[in-house]
Amino acid sequence: MAGICRNRIGKGGEVNYHIFLNSVEDISSIIRTAKLTPEDTRVICSRSEETLKKNLAKLPIGFDISKALDPVKPINFYTSTCFEGQDIEDANGQTFIVSNAGREHTLMDISTSFIQICGRIRNSAYKNEIVHLYSVSRYQNDVSLEEFEESTHNALMQAQEYAD
């Protein structure tokens, strides 16, 4: 993800990246690796009394925690605080969902969270293009992309049948 962000900033363009990743630690790592700046990046995560100081301490110096309704930037990170019920207005917004198998709290439940995230950006020209970046756990390193896609599709079909 860091390389993708670095390329977006380096090449410029009108597309804004909206990256859904439920780990402030991983977001911070991407920011550092990609050498992102507060001018081109915003981070939206919990601002509760319990977590505000902890989350700020995890971010690189100079970064603050934005609100979901603040103006979008070229790179926008969201933790689970925005996975459901938060409308994001960005005609040039591209959605990325990142799952890190090494951190259980970053994995998506295909029947709820994944589908909710896909609908967060309301007015984007790219609303039908969702990029899911994932890693496999040490227990799943023999899973092919085709097997992962089939498993994801099956879970989606089961969720749809349940909803119907």
Side-chain angles (χ1 to χ4, degrees), residues 112-131:
T112 55
S113 296
F114 197 96
I115 293 168
Q116 285 292 320
I117 291 169
C118 291
R120 291 306 92 217
I121 303 177
R122 296 296 188 188
N123 61 335
S124 176
Y126 307 97
K127 65 183 173 188
N128 294 324
E129 300 174 24
I130 309 297
V131 178

Side-chain angles (χ1 to χ4, degrees), residues 50-115:
E50 296 174 19
T51 60
L52 181 61
K53 286 183 181 181
K54 291 178 189 176
N55 286 337
L56 281 171
K58 294 173 188 176
L59 293 173
I61 294 172
F63 279 82
D64 200 1
I65 297 172
S66 300
K67 295 178 183 169
L69 296 177
D70 289 345
V72 298
K73 294 185 178 183
I75 307 293
N76 304 271
F77 289 101
Y78 305 90
T79 63
S80 62
T81 194
C82 290
F83 285 6
E84 297 179 23
Q86 179 62 58
D87 292 345
I88 300 166
E89 301 291 333
D90 185 3
N92 296 313
Q94 172 72 56
T95 299
F96 290 83
I97 301 172
V98 180
S99 302
N100 177 353
R103 296 186 192 268
E104 186 174 323
H105 58 280
T106 72
L107 303 178
M108 299 291 123
D109 174 2
I110 190 68
S111 64
T112 55
S113 296
F114 197 96
I115 293 168

